[in-house]
Amino acid sequence: MPTAVGSTNGLKPAPMALLPPIPLYRRLLRTHRNFLPKEMRLLGDEYVKSEFRAHRNVENPVHIIGFLTEWQMYAQKIEGDSWLGEKLESGKIDKMSDQQLGQLYELMQAIQKNERGHDDGDA
């Protein structure tokens, strides 16, 4: 959840005005291109594309605002390098559906597979 300016967690940036879906989508891809290594960028781009495709026809305003807010906060974190080594909050994990947990697990496996591939090449 976005933090207020006077919050106790001074590491998170103050929330900014919510971007509409298409400009946010473009910002995410541009952020990946400018701030992530190639392998992470490819994985991230595919995930962003599939998530925006999956949410294209959502009509519930609460879901739309939550979706856009989380992706915008993600972009801010990537742009500021504050995501390195960060762990997911348990509250967010508790709120995830079974499908979302499955996607998270698949993402974790892809990242671990990618890291093992780099470890083999570096040795």
Side-chain angles (χ1 to χ4, degrees):
M1 178 166 244
T3 59
V5 173
S7 76
T8 55
N9 188 349
L11 298 177
K12 290 187 180 179
M16 57 195 307
L18 203 54
L19 289 173
I22 292 175
L24 178 58
Y25 177 82
R26 290 178 181 150
R27 177 183 174 188
L28 289 163
L29 296 178
R30 188 171 42 251
T31 298
H32 285 174
R33 188 173 55 244
N34 294 330
F35 293 93
L36 295 179
K38 183 179 179 183
E39 298 83 15
M40 291 178 81
R41 179 179 58 97
L42 295 173
L43 182 64
D45 285 355
E46 286 303 313
Y47 191 72
V48 166
K49 290 173 185 178
S50 73
E51 282 297 296
F52 272 75
R53 238 180 266 120
H55 289 82
R56 183 182 319 169
N57 297 320
V58 172
E59 295 182 12
N60 183 330
V62 174
H63 289 161
I64 294 169
I65 301 258
F67 179 80
L68 296 175
T69 299
E70 289 297 322
W71 277 110
Q72 189 159 318
M73 287 175 21
Y74 165 82
Q76 288 175 306
K77 285 184 179 194
I78 297 294
E79 291 165 350
D81 270 353
S82 67
W83 60 278
L84 295 171
E86 184 176 326
K87 297 190 186 303
L88 280 175
E89 299 168 15
S90 61
K92 285 188 179 183
I93 294 173
D94 293 341
K95 292 179 182 178
M96 289 183 177
S97 68
D98 289 343
Q99 180 184 5
Q100 290 170 321
L101 290 171
Q103 287 177 319
L104 186 62
Y105 182 72
E106 289 173 9
L107 180 61
M108 180 190 72
Q109 287 182 315
I111 291 169
Q112 288 175 341
K113 179 180 175 185
N114 187 14
E115 287 176 351
R116 281 193 301 269
H118 283 323
D119 289 345
D120 293 344
D122 293 341

